[in-house]
Amino acid sequence: MSAAPAATGRARPSPGTRRRRLQGLGDLPAALVFILPATVGFVAFLLWPTLRGIWLSLTDSTAFQPGGFVGLANYERMVADPVFWNAFRVTIWYVVLNIGVQTVLAVLVAVLMHRLTRSMIVRGIILTPYLVSNVVAAMLFLMLLDYQLGFVNEVVEGLGWDRVMFFGDQSLVIPTIAMVNVWRHLGYTALLVFAGLQTIPANLYEAGRVDGASELRMFREITMPLLRPYLGLVLIVTMIGSFQVFDTVSVTTQGGPANASNVVQYYIYEVAFSRGYDFGYASAMSVALMVVLATISIVQFRATRANQNDMA
Amino acid sequence: MTTTAPAPAPPGTGTVTPASAPRRRRRLRRPGLGRVLGWVVLVLVMLATLFPFYWMLRTALSTNAALPGGAADPLPVGFSTEGFRRALGLATPAESLADGGSGASLDFPRYLLNSVVVATLVTAGQIFFSAMAAYAFARLRWPGRDVVYSVFLAGLMVPVIFTLLPNFLLIRDLGLLDTLAGIALPTTIMTPFAVFFLRQFFAGISVEVEEAAKLDGAGRFRTFFTIILPMASPAVATLAILTYMTAWNDYLWPLLVSQSEDSRVLTLALGIFRAQAPQSAPDWAGLMAATLLAALPMLLLFGLFARRIVNSIGFTGIK
Amino acid sequence: MRKTAHLAVAGSLVLALGACSGGDGAAGDEASGEITYWLWDSNQLPAYQACAEDFAETGDVSVKIEQFAWDDYWTKLTASFVGGSGPDVFVDHLSKYGEFAAQGQVVALDEMIQADAFDTGVYADGLLEPWQYVDGSTYGLPKDWDTTAFFYNTEMLADAGLTAEDLWTADWNPQDGGTFEDVVARLTVDTNGVRGDEEGFDASSVAVYGMGINPNFEETGQMQWANFTGSLDWDYLDSNPWGTQYRFDDPQLQEAIDWFYGLADKGYAPSAGVFSDETPTQLGSGKVAMGTNGSWATGSFMELDGVDVGIAPGPVGPTGERASIFNGVADSISASSSKQAAAWEWVKYLGSSECQDVVAEHAVVFPAIPGSAENALAAFDEKGWDVSAFFSYEEEGRTFLAPITLHSGEVNAIASVALEDIYLGNTDASSLTAANDSINALLED
């Protein structure tokens, strides 16, 4: 079928020389061509800004003026800044709730889709919230969950319960924002998991069925172990995204009430764009955020790798 | 590990029995409790997913002035299609202001076109170049590969806010401010996520197939285009959809880069319906109408893409 | 010294950018071409569009107006300054311009004012001074002014057996709230129909709150408590503008703040989190009888469906006067504009009675030139909206400046959290002393 027809006119090295070459540079020439465009993009839009950001974190630059070198002053300020530590705690709490609920639901939905239906309609419906931008999703829930005028609170009251201050209560605001983002990202995450499920050979399930295994047992003994590497990937990606929650906070609470939802990226944004245009300090906090993300990712990635090796 | 080891891939690539046939038979035979329960959960999730969309439609068809008083009404309050007229730019500024709109004129078709151009550029470029890189990381052997890959991966962890302004300055220096190319460029060449995602899938494709192609004399580039890309097409399609939607919904970056109507994308146009001044309530009806209209092309596109994914699912059986 | 060096560098950078970003940069200092003008309030867009059309006929400069929602406006403006790609002229805000001036992003207008012998005396008293930065230069020409007052639901007032007169003659003190609190209590109704000043009132189950509270926590208190604290013998700063010592540690002020947020505990005002929108929406919901807001929001109240709204000024306080913050927005010129001469022509036109009279006709704001403001008053009257309350402070009370200091963004961040903590009931107003210390430490550098 897709196998290519026999060689064109190009002279081919004998298998012997070819093998010898593989031991040296391998596919380096081809590889260079393959990675060239991506490398250009990577250097221009990620690596360079990052190095620049690290440099800025060591200066007293503002948005408008380059600053002088100040050593670790910005980091010292960060360590002593109670608002930063609060933002850090708030962000961790958000990520735990957001990723916890989202991952469990996404695996559930993906497995159900995988085992029950190939219907594109179902898949399409699950993905629809991702059609709406973060900003609009946040505004929509702001309206639905409003204490006075929100439909959800009308229903809550109709059921005889007390109205709930979803965005106005200091202990509820983070769970609420976490759930809004679960709503928007569930389909996305489920689809990523689903893509992983598709790589599990169908004949394994057939074999399991012949052995009379229940769905639950097949989930435990076939699906989960084979899905784990993909789940690791999905977790890394969603967690990194989750740590950078911003739009929802910016639209719904601006970090309130009283800093209860002031997450790290929002705080950084405020420091850089509205508090004092203090790019040096904002960069220092960004570096800290990056270190945290890197640590978590490396730990996750190690775990995933180990697993893959087991399977191979 | 107690799992049954994955069965070795059957030698003939085309000979895998379609998985769906026997399963369908079985499903008919045993509509067990588990399946019913599974469907119940799935339907509940779908309802929770769709309800906010119903609420958008209901709000889009309401009148702004009547909304605060009709919070408990599950139907449109003060039914009106003015919200849609405003979103499509059909209402005069005076009409728009009277209905709680912004009065700004909207050129919906143009924003739509701009969004399509940006999202298409980003998706096509990002997936193509990222796939090339992913292939080099997954299937080629070369010195330094793992180091370079790790550096690319590290890019995943760079907070968005970190790159926002340096990229803005770069786009300015390239003279691309206020152009669609400027909006698209930073994500058009690659994202670490796309490389990461595709590498994972390329690595899963069986070596035999590629070896067979190699024996047939296909070069690396031929192999990549004729074997690897088609075989990974479910992954590519999935990624393409997600990338397209991400590009479509991006807000902060286009907000910075775009200045005039010429480069205004749909999400920015939606911004017009947000709170206009700190004291005024958003134009809810207009915002929701515009959001629905903006999501419509995506739904259509998804419908088109869907067939491709379904068709390509058969290929994954190969693994 | 180092600062001036930076400014010079930034200045030359800006010039270089201006030269390469403007397509017709060669036209440089000629007062011609097209300039861009940014504003955030969509309600004012038609008025300024009309001004721009008239302006285009007077000379070679045409104006392209772009409007961005408040939430996006400042982000976009900041980025455009950094990128040297901003508007030529933009509507500026008192809480923001100090920082822009410090960073050399807005143009000092003094030379142009002098060169053209432009008469800045035409503006209402107290409007121009806040736009003079600590360096003595003027960075904006006033375009309008505003005061705050109480918007009330006339039907609810009548149901309570009260009249507008009761509000206009109300007095207030921070101990028992005076007759103003009596009015608020009277307007409050619990779910059993018992009023706030009646026996058996249930503060935990309120149907209509006598007074709404805006969810805007600001060091100015403009949207919340400034009408009250303004009638105390107290001011925000040791000297305003550009003072360096805040006075949130004053026991008198703290008593007033405790009284204000304490209205929620009494059931007369909604607790924190009950309303996430400002008072226009609160009154519109039918669950709030009265609420503070600025004159700029008049239209939002008057156009509420099914709610008839009246406006009364703040109560007379311990000093024997009613009081309100008096301030306004102004037009500034970006330092990165490559068409400064044209920009100045437009700013001048915006600050002239030609344009301000046109704005007045639209009845959205009160123009900065008193004669034009009178026209606006007439235009509001024509719509059947009695806005005399906003003028009452000037005539028989006290108007005062919102606090203007350096680092206003950070001051706001500290004060807003401290105030919201009090409203949330996490602490009382004595905690403002600590916040005051951090703010003053900040202002010392």
Side-chain angles (χ1 to χ4, degrees):
Chain A
M1 13 173 286
S2 54
T8 45
R10 188 165 59 91
R12 253 194 308 148
S14 75
T17 34
R18 195 182 173 84
R19 204 161 297 134
R20 233 170 290 132
R21 239 182 54 202
L22 275 172
Q23 283 155 3
L25 288 175
D27 304 312
L28 188 63
L32 284 180
V33 177
F34 273 106
I35 66 163
L36 181 71
T39 307
V40 170
F42 179 77
V43 170
F45 295 108
L46 270 172
L47 189 61
W48 172 241
T50 304
L51 295 177
R52 201 182 146 129
I54 293 172
W55 163 249
L56 281 179
S57 77
L58 303 171
T59 70
D60 59 357
S61 301
T62 71
F64 312 112
Q65 292 163 25
F69 183 76
V70 294
L72 294 176
N74 286 320
Y75 292 93
E76 282 158 18
R77 176 175 165 193
M78 182 176 83
V79 172
D81 181 357
V83 183
F84 171 75
W85 288 110
N86 173 69
F88 198 74
R89 274 194 304 276
V90 167
T91 308
I92 299 276
W93 177 223
Y94 167 82
V95 172
V96 167
L97 286 173
N98 177 243
I99 296 299
V101 174
Q102 180 172 291
T103 309
V104 170
L105 277 180
V107 171
L108 181 70
V109 168
V111 169
L112 286 177
M113 285 196 304
H114 188 235
R115 307 300 293 146
L116 291 179
T117 174
R118 301 256 145 176
S119 161
M120 283 315 296
I121 294 171
V122 174
R123 233 176 292 169
I125 287 175
I126 298 290
L127 195 59
T128 40
Y130 204 65
L131 293 173
V132 178
S133 73
N134 269 331
V135 174
V136 173
M139 293 189 77
L140 176 65
F141 277 93
L142 198 57
M143 175 170 69
L144 271 171
L145 300 177
D146 190 90
Y147 183 80
Q148 284 293 341
L149 309 171
F151 182 72
V152 172
N153 266 320
E154 298 286 346
V155 173
V156 165
E157 200 177 52
L159 292 171
W161 296 319
D162 283 341
R163 285 171 179 260
V164 185
M165 281 184 203
F166 290 101
F167 290 107
D169 184 305
Q170 282 170 291
S171 53
L172 280 182
V173 61
I174 282 296
T176 302
I177 292 174
M179 291 315 119
V180 168
N181 285 335
V182 167
W183 176 78
R184 182 162 181 272
H185 291 274
L186 178 61
Y188 181 107
T189 317
L191 213 66
L192 288 182
V193 176
F194 188 78
L197 286 174
Q198 287 181 29
T199 64
I200 299 176
N203 51 7
L204 285 186
Y205 292 102
E206 292 305 320
R209 208 161 272 138
V210 171
D211 291 348
S214 67
E215 282 286 343
L216 204 65
R217 197 168 146 220
M218 286 198 284
F219 174 74
R220 266 207 329 267
E221 297 191 351
I222 302 175
T223 311
M224 269 325 269
L226 290 175
L227 191 61
R228 204 165 287 161
Y230 293 97
L231 217 50
L233 178 152
V234 170
L235 264 179
I236 292 176
V237 169
T238 52
M239 209 182 266
I240 287 173
S242 185
F243 261 97
Q244 299 188 50
V245 55
F246 171 78
D247 292 343
T248 321
V249 172
S250 148
V251 171
T252 57
T253 64
Q254 283 94 47
N259 279 340
S261 65
N262 194 353
V263 292
V264 172
Q265 183 138 305
Y266 187 75
Y267 184 47
I268 294 174
Y269 174 84
E270 274 220 314
V271 167
F273 281 92
S274 76
R275 276 191 168 194
Y277 308 100
D278 194 342
F279 267 37
Y281 186 41
S283 299
M285 289 192 286
S286 301
V287 171
L289 178 59
M290 193 163 64
V291 169
V292 170
L293 292 181
T295 313
I296 290 173
S297 308
I298 288 167
V299 170
Q300 273 279 357
F301 202 62
R302 283 270 157 80
T304 312
R305 272 254 174 100
N307 238 304
Q308 262 175 332
N309 290 345
D310 279 0
M311 277 172 24
Chain B
M1 209 156 274
T2 55
T3 337
T4 355
T13 48
T15 59
V16 173
T17 19
S20 49
R23 185 155 345 131
R24 197 169 297 133
R25 241 183 290 130
R26 206 165 288 264
R27 196 186 303 163
L28 286 174
R29 216 185 297 158
R30 267 200 312 186
L33 186 66
R35 264 176 197 285
V36 174
L37 213 66
W39 272 110
V40 168
V41 172
L42 212 49
V43 167
L44 280 179
V45 170
M46 284 193 281
L47 283 180
T49 302
L50 286 181
F51 174 74
F53 281 93
Y54 168 71
W55 203 254
M56 284 176 159
L57 185 65
R58 170 259 184 203
T59 308
L61 292 171
S62 300
T63 311
N64 280 324
L67 279 173
D73 196 339
L75 294 173
V77 277
F79 183 90
S80 149
T81 53
E82 281 305 309
F84 282 97
R85 289 194 60 218
R86 282 200 296 285
L88 288 167
L90 299 175
T92 66
E95 284 175 340
S96 163
L97 279 175
D99 287 331
S102 77
S105 61
L106 281 175
D107 189 351
F108 196 82
R110 171 191 245 169
Y111 309 142
L112 182 69
L113 184 68
N114 285 345
S115 277
V116 168
V117 169
V118 168
T120 308
L121 265 179
V122 167
T123 306
Q126 184 187 126
I127 297 221
F128 182 71
F129 294 127
S130 298
M132 282 173 67
Y135 177 70
F137 290 129
R139 315 295 296 203
L140 302 182
R141 267 163 240 260
W142 42 287
R145 180 182 74 174
D146 292 347
V147 177
V148 177
Y149 183 57
S150 306
V151 174
F152 267 54
L153 269 192
L156 261 181
M157 295 140 211
V158 178
V160 175
I161 194 127
F162 216 28
T163 56
L164 205 61
L165 267 153
N167 283 348
F168 177 73
L169 295 178
L170 182 57
I171 292 298
R172 179 200 70 193
D173 294 342
L174 292 172
L176 292 176
L177 275 190
D178 202 21
T179 64
L180 294 178
I183 296 175
L185 192 60
T187 45
T188 295
I189 309 183
M190 63 90 66
T191 61
F193 171 63
V195 175
F196 183 34
F197 184 91
L198 290 171
R199 195 208 85 107
Q200 218 71 358
F201 278 90
F202 291 167
I205 294 169
S206 92
V207 186
E208 284 88 346
V209 187
E210 208 184 351
E211 289 295 321
K214 211 187 281 173
L215 286 180
D216 285 342
R220 284 304 188 185
F221 295 91
R222 277 263 298 283
T223 315
F224 172 67
F225 285 110
T226 60
I227 312 273
I228 300 291
L229 268 188
M231 284 182 75
S233 61
V236 170
T238 305
L239 184 64
I241 288 178
L242 299 183
T243 307
Y244 205 92
M245 287 187 185
T246 308
W248 189 267
N249 284 322
D250 199 9
Y251 186 76
L252 198 52
W253 174 250
L255 176 70
L256 295 186
V257 175
S258 166
Q259 314 267 355
S260 69
E261 290 250 302
D262 302 333
S263 65
R264 187 168 295 165
V265 292
L266 270 179
T267 42
L268 293 186
L270 286 184
I272 305 244
F273 296 93
R274 291 176 67 189
Q276 298 306 310
Q279 82 279 2
S280 59
D283 171 10
W284 285 116
L287 177 71
M288 292 304 153
T291 304
L292 288 172
L293 289 172
L296 213 58
M298 293 304 294
L299 274 173
L300 289 175
L301 204 84
F302 189 81
L304 287 176
F305 255 86
R307 286 248 67 84
R308 287 199 66 101
I309 301 184
V310 171
N311 287 340
S312 56
I313 278 170
F315 274 99
T316 34
I318 291 169
K319 154 145 191 175
Chain C
M1 252 172 59
R2 224 179 73 210
K3 193 154 202 166
T4 34
H6 280 323
L7 279 175
V9 171
S12 58
L13 197 73
V14 159
L15 283 179
L17 293 170
C20 65
S21 66
D24 45 356
D29 265 7
E30 304 280 315
S32 65
E34 186 185 70
I35 58 168
T36 48
Y37 178 54
W38 284 10
L39 49 79
W40 66 74
D41 189 348
S42 63
N43 289 320
Q44 299 180 30
L45 188 60
Y48 287 102
Q49 198 70 57
C51 269
E53 279 158 25
D54 295 346
F55 177 64
E57 283 165 21
T58 65
D60 292 333
V61 183
S62 62
V63 181
K64 190 176 170 201
I65 303 184
E66 283 171 2
Q67 179 254 330
F68 302 98
W70 171 267
D71 289 335
D72 295 333
Y73 188 82
W74 302 104
T75 305
K76 213 168 155 48
L77 199 62
T78 306
S80 76
F81 285 159
V82 175
S85 58
D88 298 284
V89 182
F90 65 97
V91 181
D92 208 347
H93 197 268
L94 276 177
S95 67
K96 303 278 184 182
Y97 96 95
E99 215 77 47
F100 292 154
Q103 307 276 359
Q105 298 302 316
V106 284
V107 174
L109 304 174
D110 308 73
E111 277 178 31
M112 304 185 224
I113 291 172
Q114 264 169 22
D116 286 5
F118 183 81
D119 181 11
T120 52
V122 296
Y123 302 116
D125 283 346
L127 282 180
L128 189 67
E129 290 77 12
W131 293 94
Q132 282 162 352
Y133 186 55
V134 68
D135 64 5
S137 299
T138 302
Y139 286 93
L141 282 194
K143 62 193 304 166
D144 58 30
W145 59 265
D146 54 72
T147 56
T148 58
F150 291 85
F151 294 83
Y152 58 89
N153 182 321
T154 53
E155 205 177 311
M156 287 180 178
L157 197 74
D159 287 350
L162 297 165
T163 63
E165 189 68 15
D166 294 318
L167 274 169
W168 278 77
T169 56
D171 63 59
W172 171 83
N173 64 70
Q175 290 82 40
D176 65 7
T179 59
F180 183 84
E181 183 170 331
D182 296 340
V183 170
V184 173
R186 183 81 199 144
L187 284 170
T188 308
V189 188
D190 74 10
T191 44
N192 298 318
V194 181
R195 293 193 172 272
D197 60 352
E198 291 171 351
E199 200 67 23
F201 168 71
D202 181 2
S204 66
S205 178
V206 177
V208 175
Y209 296 99
M211 192 174 83
I213 293 182
N214 285 303
N216 311 40
F217 300 89
E218 298 158 322
E219 74 280 22
T220 63
Q222 189 186 26
M223 296 292 279
Q224 294 186 339
W225 38 263
N227 281 112
F228 302 106
T229 57
S231 69
L232 295 170
D233 182 22
W234 174 85
D235 207 352
Y236 303 94
L237 291 160
D238 51 351
S239 68
N240 197 12
W242 315 117
T244 54
Q245 293 284 315
Y246 260 91
R247 287 184 177 153
F248 286 132
D249 55 350
D250 188 315
Q252 224 192 143
L253 177 270
Q254 295 185 352
E255 186 182 27
I257 298 281
D258 273 333
W259 171 82
F260 179 79
Y261 294 119
L263 287 175
D265 304 327
K266 296 174 187 160
Y268 300 161
S271 312
V274 170
F275 285 97
S276 50
D277 291 308
E278 289 187 8
T279 43
T281 313
Q282 298 185 15
L283 257 74
S285 74
K287 289 168 181 163
V288 168
M290 178 169 73
T292 322
N293 218 310
S295 47
W296 62 81
T298 304
S300 307
F301 282 99
M302 295 303 177
E303 283 158 6
L304 285 174
D305 241 22
V307 183
D308 189 41
V309 178
I311 312 170
V316 173
T319 56
E321 287 187 313
R322 58 175 99 254
S324 166
I325 286 185
F326 180 74
N327 75 28
V329 297
D331 295 303
S332 293
I333 299 178
S334 311
S336 61
S337 166
S338 59
K339 297 166 190 152
Q340 309 249 343
W344 167 244
E345 289 302 316
W346 171 235
V347 169
K348 224 165 44 172
Y349 188 76
L350 287 168
S352 71
S353 48
E354 280 92 341
C355 175
Q356 301 224 336
D357 281 339
V358 170
V359 173
E361 282 167 27
H362 284 78
V364 280
V365 288
F366 303 128
I369 298 173
S372 306
E374 289 299 320
N375 292 347
L377 188 59
F380 276 103
D381 270 345
E382 211 166 288
K383 287 193 173 184
W385 302 349
D386 179 1
V387 291
S388 53
F390 298 113
F391 288 76
S392 65
Y393 308 100
E394 199 64 48
E395 288 155 10
E396 38 142 341
R398 171 181 176 241
T399 58
F400 56 99
L401 271 183
I404 297 165
T405 62
L406 297 173
H407 305 296
S408 56
E410 286 179 81
V411 171
N412 176 266
I414 296 171
S416 67
V417 169
L419 291 167
E420 192 165 15
D421 262 331
I422 301 168
Y423 189 23
L424 285 163
N426 297 338
T427 175
D428 64 25
S430 61
S431 64
L432 286 175
T433 304
N436 198 61
D437 290 345
S438 349
I439 291 173
N440 288 344
L442 190 79
L443 292 179
E444 254 166 40
D445 326 323

